[in-house]
Amino acid sequence: MSARGPRHLASSPFAPKVEVPIVQYALEDRISHDTYGLGRVIGVEPHAVLVDFGSQKVRVTSPYARMELL
């Protein structure tokens, strides 16, 4: 087995797993979150970001599935 896991066989009835790229955010980036709405990144950690949504500040952890860069 490799570091990525077992290889996908062409004869397999299951679809291969798709690797989702992890987005990197920077300070002052504008984002949109499915739950909280529009916000601005005010803090960056290795696996999380702190986002100011105006009425509240929320720490969002990676992977950022419900958040997109504007």
Side-chain angles (χ1 to χ4, degrees), residues 8-69:
H8 182 265
L9 299 175
S11 61
S12 174
F14 303 103
K17 291 184 180 178
V18 178
E19 291 185 27
V20 177
I22 297 177
V23 179
Q24 298 294 322
Y25 293 98
L27 289 175
E28 300 299 319
D29 279 350
R30 297 283 297 168
I31 60 98
S32 174
H33 193 279
D34 289 350
T35 303
Y36 302 109
L38 298 175
R40 183 178 304 273
V41 176
I42 58 172
V44 178
E45 301 173 16
H47 299 287
V49 292
L50 183 62
V51 183
D52 182 6
F53 291 103
S55 61
Q56 61 184 334
K57 293 177 177 68
V58 179
R59 183 176 179 265
V60 182
T61 58
S62 175
Y64 312 105
R66 306 177 92 198
M67 197 164 82
E68 68 178 64
L69 187 62

